[in-house]
Amino acid sequence: MKIAVIGAGWAGLSAAVYLQRSGHQPVVFEAARTLGGRARSVQSPPLNATVDNGQHILLGAYTETWALMHELQIPLESRLQRLRLNLQAADGSFHLEAASLPAPLHLLGGILGARGLNVPERVRFITLMRSLRARGWIVPASATVGDWLRTARQSDQVVRRFWRPLCLATLNTPIEQACAQLLANVLRDSLGGARDACDILLPRVRLSELWPAQAAAKIDLRYGRAVRRLNRLSAHVEVEAERFDAALIATNAPSAWRLLKHDAPSPADKAYLAQLAALRYNAIATITLELEHTWKLPAPMLMLYDYPEKCQFGQWLFDASLFMKSPADRRRPMLTVVISDAQALTMHAQETIVAGLLEQIREQTQGLAALPPIRGHATIIEKRATFAATPGLVRPKNTTPWPRVWLAGDYTDTGYPAVLEGAVRSGKRAAELITGYFS
Ligand SMILES: Cc1cc2nc3c(=O)[nH]c(=O)nc-3n(C[C@H](O)[C@H](O)[C@H](O)COP(=O)(O)OP(=O)(O)OC[C@H]3O[C@@H](n4cnc5c(N)ncnc54)[C@H](O)[C@@H]3O)c2cc1C
């Protein structure tokens, strides 16, 4: 079957790979001139370099992503730097590292050996993880992460040092609004899984090169083709005046809504459109700082404590020279600072943000060598980085009320927050549903 796939993000490309493997003929339409959607490489004029639109962290638990890379015969270790779970504050006040023990002792050992937790905090942390596991990783459906942590008597300090950064990094939603069940799902598959499930994997190549470029090489992919209209005929779907047996919309939710809104006569259509329209979005900001010379950090990834009132917004600090593969990347020392739930940044001038960040980094790395002078910087704010992962959200299924039209994307009902693994799973699931429909 000839299938139109609209969108070459991780969901669309994953679907295209699996559709092709099942003997179909996918044709991918991508509005942009680059691959990867929200996980893409971009040219940065201020740095005169190719950078990613945002530092992405992958987890050992991203099983479908690893299966897809395996399918494409891409050796994981050549493209990603694998690190044992190591959450370390830049100021040295907190350090939790998974122990070299089989699961679940790796986590227990990590908590017992963590710096920055007192004895009652360790006990409550372990009790929380044990009770979560005993309850099958199910938490009250309407609970926010904040509610759930209060019920589990987690101290303000543990919330500040561990839970808040973890929640922001995984759900991109503040703890008082974030859905506890979605966080529990991620904990189930990472901290609650096999020892390597909570490993952190950092791309050693630019995001578009991680696997999307290999996938695209094998697929009929049309760049710079924003699909404006989808026409459903009796036994076909027309995309950009071309006939297809089916269409898979793998855009973001607002684009999917725009493509479907003209054709919604039934209550089921309207209800589905309402789910797409109900999603709200949070921003992620990534600030790249080019240094005059190398600065040796104790780990490729360090936690920063943010003080928005002082214009100190940084949450994570990455030293790309410690994990990027290409000699050119290693020669140009760059730090990347990541800020989740970053809407507030849009109200400040870039220079103010960078000045605040530099002060923050200097204050919180006093135990290290002095931060070298900055040669240049670039800020990317993705305003619609992810949907706000709040409790009670009804997420659209891959199957739509429209015959011959399916949907894929990180916002569909994957059981995960808006993450790469969710996008890959959603694409694969949609490909399976399409294959099942035609078999
Ligand atoms: C800054 C940032 C940091 C992130 N960090 C992490 C992280 O550390 N770990 C993690 O797992 N996830 C992270 N994420 C989330 C992750 O990037 C997304 O979950 C994932 O990329 C979503 O993929 P997708 O295919 O569902 O959607 P998208 O990537 O949005 O792909 C949709 C594609 O459709 C195209 N399109 C839209 N409309 C049309 C149209 N009409 N016609 C043709 N094409 C169209 C778009 O151009 C785009 O290429 C981050 C996201 C951002 C923005």
Side-chain angles (χ1 to χ4, degrees), residues 7 9-11 30-31 37-38 56-57 62 227 250-251 255 409-410 419-420:
W10 282 40
E30 169 53 51
R38 274 169 286 151
H56 279 63
I57 304 171
Y62 282 12
V227 174
T251 64
S255 285
D410 62 355
V419 288
L420 298 166

Side-chain angles (χ1 to χ4, degrees), residues 38 40 53-54 171-173 252 254 279-286 339-348 350 353 379-388 418:
R38 274 169 286 151
R40 66 185 184 285
N53 69 320
L171 273 68
N172 190 28
T173 306
N252 54 14
L279 296 165
R280 295 289 168 265
Y281 298 89
N282 288 336
I284 299 180
T286 308
I339 302 161
S340 296
D341 186 30
Q343 288 81 302
L345 263 69
T346 54
M347 313 215 283
H348 296 274
Q350 263 199 42
I353 297 170
T379 301
I380 300 179
I381 303 181
E382 289 271 5
K383 290 193 183 141
R384 280 186 181 166
T386 71
F387 66 84

Side-chain angles (χ1 to χ4, degrees), residues 274-298:
Q275 290 176 6
L276 292 174
L279 296 165
R280 295 289 168 265
Y281 298 89
N282 288 336
I284 299 180
T286 308
I287 293 120
T288 306
L289 305 169
E290 181 171 10
L291 305 180
E292 285 285 353
H293 56 82
T294 318
W295 187 37
K296 191 94 185 105
L297 289 180

Side-chain angles (χ1 to χ4, degrees), residues 33 66 131 136 143 152 154 163 168 185 189 212 236 272 298 305 340 390 432:
R33 304 231 164 247
W66 313 139
S131 76
Q154 300 293 293
W163 291 111
L168 280 172
N185 293 351
D189 296 349
H236 294 96
Y272 195 86
Y305 297 119
S340 296
T390 49
E432 286 165 357

